[in-house]
Amino acid sequence: MLTSLALIFLVGLAMAALCQKLKLPRIIGMLVTGIVLGPYVLDLLSPSILSISSELRQMALIIILLKAGLSLDFSDLKKVGRPAVMMACIPATFEILAYVLFAPYILKISLIDAAVMGAVLAAVSPAVVVPRMVQLMESKYGTAKSIPQLILAGASCDDIFVIVLFTTFSSIAQGGGAHLLDFANIPISIVLGIAMGAVVGYALSLFFETAYAHRHCVRNSMKVIIVLGVSFLLMAVETWLKGRISVSGLLAVVSMACVLKMKCTAFVSKRLSEKFGKLWIAAEVILFVLVGAAVDIRYTMMAGVAAIGMILIALVVRSLGVMVCLIRTRLTVKERIFCIIAYLPKATVQAAIGSAPLAMGLPCGKIVLSVAVLAILITAPLGALGMDMTYKSLLEKEGKKG
């Protein structure tokens, strides 16, 4: 396992630096590293590390979500309002509809198989989007109109919405039925996740304040460990309650971090954000290299040109969904285009559930995995590169007259 970790960090960082030198996003180098080192090409990664790959990816995602929460401001979210709620479900719904309407003709699959495929493909990747939105908030690009906050909030909820739909559609494909409760779980999961995180965040802030009042100063490094430990527990609660009540662990983590930012002093929340930013340097490499390692490159050849065409059609329809969400907002045409670009990348969810239909024995399993692999390879670099290259020209820097 140690050799595998050494390869992940050293080769991943080297490839990321090379891509950065070539003016490409670092994520491309990390994804390529994972694909090449992974079990489907050179097979240099230990089975022991691949067996805990999903847990390691989840830990890395928790770190960046904590940093995102500590950078978010509830007053900004209030300003965003309706569009953020719509961004959480409308673009994904449009994309799923695109698969349901076009995939049966283009890829020769049934309607329910097309719905399963759409649910796998519709989620935006928080692992690609969140770090960039945090960076924009720190550099004050688009913050005057809360654009990074809008995208960040929408992307955080988008995954939950899509995963619940995937569970429902795959149940129908396996011969089960769809129940009204399955769809009711979407808002329940969001509300309970935010509420649970808010309560825990408030309790943590009281603990830190009480310790300080009694002259038991908790060092910021210790606070980071405590916050991380509590975050892992919040994620565990989602698993414990699975099948009984739906709670979003990821949203709970973001909510907890937001409340900590509100209740702690500005200095403490800033220091915590900085420390999680340093942790993200290592977590980022682990996350994207292991996402790359989960990609079975052999299936890409099976999908062919038809799959690429289907992905591009779905992205166009998804973009229309983003435009619908931004109707009656103050955003300029340029800013709306940036929102469309930011909602393109797919990686984490597709790597996590892309192989699930195949494991379930669904007839569409191989084609779903093929299209998921292609979507990661096309949209992750496209979205990441698009955001990195356009944010300065499409967004206005706060405090600077455009």
Side-chain angles (χ1 to χ4, degrees), residues 87-149:
M87 289 282 272
C89 55
I90 300 295
T93 302
F94 269 57
E95 187 163 1
I96 291 170
L97 282 172
Y99 279 97
V100 169
L101 291 172
F102 298 107
Y105 303 102
I106 297 174
L107 300 174
K108 312 299 179 192
I109 56 177
S110 69
L111 270 177
I112 187 58
D113 287 346
V116 170
M117 180 182 286
V120 170
L121 273 295
V124 70
S125 173
V128 179
V129 174
V130 172
R132 282 166 175 79
M133 295 309 107
V134 172
Q135 183 189 340
L136 291 183
M137 285 188 278
E138 289 172 349
S139 57
K140 301 291 183 186
Y141 274 95
T143 48
K145 295 181 184 176
S146 302
I147 295 167
Q149 292 90 332

Side-chain angles (χ1 to χ4, degrees), residues 7 127 148 187 199 212 257 259 286 289 317 344 361 375:
L7 287 171
V199 170
Y212 184 75
V259 172
I286 290 174
V289 171
V317 176
L344 293 179

Side-chain angles (χ1 to χ4, degrees), residues 15 44 68 89 92 121 165 188 206 286 296 337 363 369 401:
M15 288 294 288
L44 295 177
C89 55
L121 273 295
L165 287 182
I188 290 170
L206 281 180
I286 290 174
D296 189 342
I337 290 170
L369 183 55
K401 290 184 179 180

Side-chain angles (χ1 to χ4, degrees), residues 115-349:
V116 170
M117 180 182 286
V120 170
L121 273 295
V124 70
S125 173
V128 179
V129 174
V130 172
R132 282 166 175 79
M133 295 309 107
V134 172
Q135 183 189 340
L136 291 183
M137 285 188 278
E138 289 172 349
S139 57
K140 301 291 183 186
Y141 274 95
T143 48
K145 295 181 184 176
S146 302
I147 295 167
Q149 292 90 332
L150 162 69
I151 295 166
L152 199 153
S156 300
C157 300
D158 167 276
D159 287 1
I160 305 150
F161 175 73
V162 166
I163 288 169
V164 172
L165 287 182
F166 169 74
T167 307
T168 306
F169 294 146
S170 57
S171 172
I172 298 170
Q174 285 179 299
H179 304 286
L180 191 61
L181 186 63
D182 295 329
F183 294 98
N185 275 338
I186 298 171
I188 290 170
S189 174
I190 292 170
V191 171
L192 286 182
I194 292 171
M196 182 171 68
V199 170
V200 172
Y202 184 66
L204 268 180
S205 67
L206 281 180
F207 169 69
F208 293 148
E209 276 185 23
T210 306
Y212 184 75
H214 287 81
R215 299 180 184 238
H216 296 298
C217 185
V218 182
R219 293 180 60 188
N220 286 324
S221 300
M222 191 66 72
K223 286 174 183 170
V224 166
I225 295 169
I226 293 168
V227 170
L228 263 181
V230 172
S231 300
F232 296 158
L233 274 178
L234 288 175
M235 294 299 296
V237 168
E238 181 179 351
T239 308
W240 297 337
L241 296 177
K242 197 171 184 181
R244 291 190 289 276
I245 190 163
S246 187
V247 180
S248 167
L250 288 178
L251 265 185
V253 169
V254 176
S255 174
M256 178 189 70
C258 285
V259 172
L260 273 174
K261 178 185 169 68
M262 288 172 65
K263 294 297 178 184
C264 291
T265 62
F267 174 76
V268 170
S269 60
K270 185 172 181 290
R271 290 288 293 150
L272 284 175
S273 181
E274 285 171 359
K275 286 189 178 290
F276 278 112
K278 288 171 184 174
L279 276 179
W280 173 244
I281 295 169
E284 179 185 37
V285 182
I286 290 174
L287 178 60
F288 290 119
V289 171
L290 290 179
V291 164
V295 171
D296 189 342
I297 201 73
R298 296 172 302 178
Y299 285 116
T300 57
M301 303 311 295
M302 292 174 52
V305 178
I308 296 172
M310 183 63 244
I311 291 166
L312 295 177
I313 290 169
L315 289 178
V316 170
V317 176
R318 180 187 185 86
S319 300
L320 291 175
V322 175
M323 293 299 283
V324 168
C325 297
L326 301 176
I327 290 171
R328 294 175 64 191
T329 61
R330 297 184 299 120
L331 271 60
T332 64
V333 173
K334 284 184 176 182
E335 289 163 344
R336 290 171 197 232
I337 290 170
F338 181 82
C339 291
I340 289 171
I341 294 168
Y343 252 55
L344 293 179
K346 303 169 189 305
T348 341
V349 175

Side-chain angles (χ1 to χ4, degrees), residues 19 22-28 128 132 341 345 379-391:
C19 285
L22 297 171
K23 305 295 184 189
L24 294 170
R26 290 163 57 83
I27 180 182
I28 298 176
V128 179
R132 282 166 175 79
I341 294 168
T379 65
L382 183 68
L385 191 60
M387 284 185 278
D388 291 344
M389 291 184 69
T390 63
Y391 76 92

